[in-house]
Amino acid sequence: MEKFKMKLNIPQAILMGFFAATVVTISNSYIDWDNRIYAGIFAGLTIIVCGILSQIIIRVKD
């Protein structure tokens, strides 16, 4: 398994933003968050996962 770089290029950042915004928007419409800290933790984890996904989908050849 190859090591992931922590820096995203422009297409990866755009793809990550699109994925994260879509997932958070859809989940917020279905889930009624009682405590805002849970929504923040969920959004943070979603952004991390979407960043990893965008690096997998758009690979940069060294």
Side-chain angles (χ1 to χ4, degrees):
M1 185 171 202
E2 65 184 64
K3 187 175 179 181
F4 288 112
K5 294 180 184 177
M6 297 305 289
K7 188 174 180 181
L8 298 175
N9 59 20
I10 300 295
Q12 288 173 337
I14 291 171
L15 186 63
M16 181 194 70
F18 174 75
F19 279 154
T22 303
V23 169
V24 170
T25 301
I26 291 172
S27 66
N28 281 340
S29 67
Y30 286 119
I31 300 170
D32 184 25
W33 300 102
D34 292 334
N35 195 348
R36 293 190 56 87
I37 191 73
Y38 296 136
I41 291 171
F42 177 75
L45 290 175
T46 302
I47 289 174
I48 291 171
V49 169
C50 290
I52 293 170
L53 274 174
S54 67
Q55 284 184 345
I56 291 172
I57 292 172
I58 302 175
R59 293 186 183 153
V60 176
K61 305 236 177 187
D62 291 333

